[in-house]
């Protein structure tokens, strides 16, 4: 640590998390900007989401050639994916490879959780405290803590009384779970459950799925990767990445049609069939532009998916339960599946509707719903996350005048560009709320945000300033724009984690900027080109110390 004058800092930047975001942030800040950086990671190794979510069937649902870093051409040329959509072990191996290749582990303190992040107004720096008792003073604080990393507490109690085993999809044992010969309960039918259920169904003696809201799951279309396709992509990866970044979702799809309502039923069906068979997010995002905006357009695709579910599930009663109704397709995050619906064709797999009668409790022997207890050996909680804001709240972030982020966001997140917060200077949120984040290809979204933070930090340092802070006005305008766009879509009409509605008592607010990645990226570029419009970039009240490297 270096101390000059009255101020001292330990490092230039503290980063939280060693997943896709933290790893790239470390590389960018340390190796490209030559800053001193400390990264804290709660896990024992790198990987983030892909470190924790080891449940059977966990895999990405954007093609791996796109769901991967673009920042280093040698890396993207040399890495070989084996499947179109890589499974969790392969994605984790990729991130471990990135950590080795760029010598990142030496910059990361593992098994350490950040528990307090307090802004020091006098000294214009962040004081970051960890659960091991370490306190680090840094000029900038960057959260790569992820959007879906704090599991939701289920509404029902009694888990501690259960005599069997309980597993959380979001914190799965490294040694795996043997379901053979066991009776298993899976609670939840979101994306995680939809990936896990076919594997558990294959092994377990009995599987009972507790479903509150059925999902519009559509085929992933996974398989071995096509080497010719990969060669083609690698021969001009730069153009492929450009095309991805110029697409709403951050994937180079290019077949979207204007309106589902402007074509005949036959033509619409042909389009839906093609997208359904091609897999991935094509049905959702590469069929018709108006399905997220116009309920009548949405009904056409929702009806199509319901029909497909009925075709695949042989028992009409099960099919009826599994077919979603009452909300629009895409307003809950659409899961992609492999053999999900077929799993319910096994006699050993039952489905229990817990919408009409909610789960009361976990007893010592199983799951009680009303006056019936389903006795099981294993309970799998696939009940989701305190999405977007949960990971930030868990860190006790306090800005100017000791203002708690939780108090500032009492009625929902307020950010500028989804990356910065007025009253919380020198803080950058990677894929924060009110950015395209979860509706953008994550690795690219992360790179964009880390680059934005790095450019802003360089700008501050180059101009011999100390503090960069979103103005109150810019933040308010951004919030208004984000809500205005959200209200043009069907999303606010549905209870989803996009709206904070999966957590009882959480303020209802749209967590995502829905204007699409290209518009968002252009806005950020305009902000930078205008010399950081919407930001105050100032000198600290007291002079800052030089930082030892
Ligand atoms: P989720 O989508 O929030 O699903 C949670 C499930 O648990 C829902 O079906 C929910 O029902 C149910 N649930 C919650 N509380 C319940 C209760 N008290 N009683 C009964 N059911 C309850 O969580 P997730 O499946 O972990 O997925 C979260 C997100 O992670 C996804 O949307 C996606 O963005 C990401 N993810 C991605 C992939 C991938 O393929 N790349 C895989 C997994 C996850 P309600 O719907 O009624 O609330």
């Amino acid at each position: 640590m270096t101390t000059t004058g009255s101020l001292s800092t330990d490092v230039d930047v503290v980063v939280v998390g060693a997943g896709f975001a933290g790893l790239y942030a470390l590389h960018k800040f340390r190796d490209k900007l030559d800053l001193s950086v400390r990264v804290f990671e709660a896990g024992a190794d790198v990987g983030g989401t892909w470190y924790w979510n080891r449940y059977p069937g966990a895999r990405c649902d954007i093609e791996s050639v796109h769901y991967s870093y673009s920042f280093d051409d040698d890396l993207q040329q040399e890495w070989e994916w084996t499947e179109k959509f890589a499974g969790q072990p392969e994605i984790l191996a990729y991130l471990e490879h990135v950590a080795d290749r760029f010598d990142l582990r030496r910059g990361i303190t593992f098994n350490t959780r950040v528990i307090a992040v307090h802004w020091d107004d006098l000294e214009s720096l962040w004081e970051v405290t960890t659960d091991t008792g370490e306190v680090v003073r840094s000029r900038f604080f960057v959260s790569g803590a992820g959007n879906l990393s704090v599991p939701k507490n289920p509404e029902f109690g009694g888990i501690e009384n259960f005599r069997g085993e309980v597993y959380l999809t979001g914190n799965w044992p490294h040694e795996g779970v043997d379901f053979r010969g066991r009776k298993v309960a899976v609670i939840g039918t979101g994306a995680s459950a939809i990936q896990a259920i076919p594997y558990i169904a294959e092994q377990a003696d009995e599987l009972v799925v507790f479903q509150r809201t059925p999902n519009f799951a559509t085929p992933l279309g996974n398989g071995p990767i096509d080497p010719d396709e990969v060669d083609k992509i690698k021969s001009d990866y730069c153009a492929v990445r450009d095309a991805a970044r110029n697409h709403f979702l951050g994937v180079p799809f290019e077949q979207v049609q204007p309106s589902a309502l402007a074509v005949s039923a036959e033509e619409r069906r042909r389009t839906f069939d093609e997208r359904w068979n091609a897999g991935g997010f094509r049905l959702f995002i590469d069929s018709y532009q108006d399905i997220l905006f116009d309920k009548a357009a949405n009904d056409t695709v929702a009806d199509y998916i319901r029909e497909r579910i009925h075709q695949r599930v042989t028992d009409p009663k099960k099919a009826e339960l599994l077919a979603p109704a009452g909300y629009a397709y895409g307003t809950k995050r659409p899961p992609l599946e492999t053999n999900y619906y077929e799993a319910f064709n096994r006699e050993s797999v039952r489905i229990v509707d817990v919408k009409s009668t909610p789960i009361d409790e976990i007893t010592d022997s199983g799951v009680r719903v009303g006056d019936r207890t389903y006795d099981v050996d294993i309970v799998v909680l696939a009940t989701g996350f305190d999405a977007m804001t949960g990971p930030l709240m868990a860190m006790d972030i306090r800005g100017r005048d000791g203002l708690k982020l939780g108090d500032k966001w009492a009625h929902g997140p307020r950010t500028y560009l989804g990356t910065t917060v007025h009253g919380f200077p020198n803080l950058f949120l990677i894929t924060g709320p009110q950015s395209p984040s979860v509706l953008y290809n994550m690795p690219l979204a992360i790179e964009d945000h880390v680059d934005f933070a790095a450019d802003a930090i360089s700008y501050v340092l180059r101009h011999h300033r100390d503090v960069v802070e979103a103005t109150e006005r810019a933040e308010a305008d951004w919030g208004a724009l984000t809500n205005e766009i959200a209200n043009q879509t069907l999303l606010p009409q549905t209870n989803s984690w996009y709206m904070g509605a999966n957590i009882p008592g959480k303020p209802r607010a749209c967590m995502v900027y829905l204007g699409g990645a290209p518009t968002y990226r252009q806005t950020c570029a305009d902000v930078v080109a205008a010399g950081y419009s919407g930001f105050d970039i100032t000198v600290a009240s007291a002079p800052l110390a030089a930082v030892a490297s």
Side-chain angles (χ1 to χ4, degrees), residues 59 61 152 155 189-192 195 212-213 332-333 384 497:
R59 64 179 63 250
D61 53 13
K152 163 190 160 161
E155 288 90 335
T189 49
S192 302
Q195 288 186 330
R212 195 161 62 183
T213 314
K332 275 167 131 28
R333 203 272 201 179
W497 61 255

Side-chain angles (χ1 to χ4, degrees), residues 361-382:
E361 60 169 342
I362 307 294
T363 66
D364 61 346
S365 64
V367 182
R368 184 168 73 78
V369 181
D371 53 14
R372 173 145 191 209
T373 298
Y374 297 84
D375 288 340
V376 290
D377 307 307
I378 297 177
V379 172
V380 174
L381 294 172

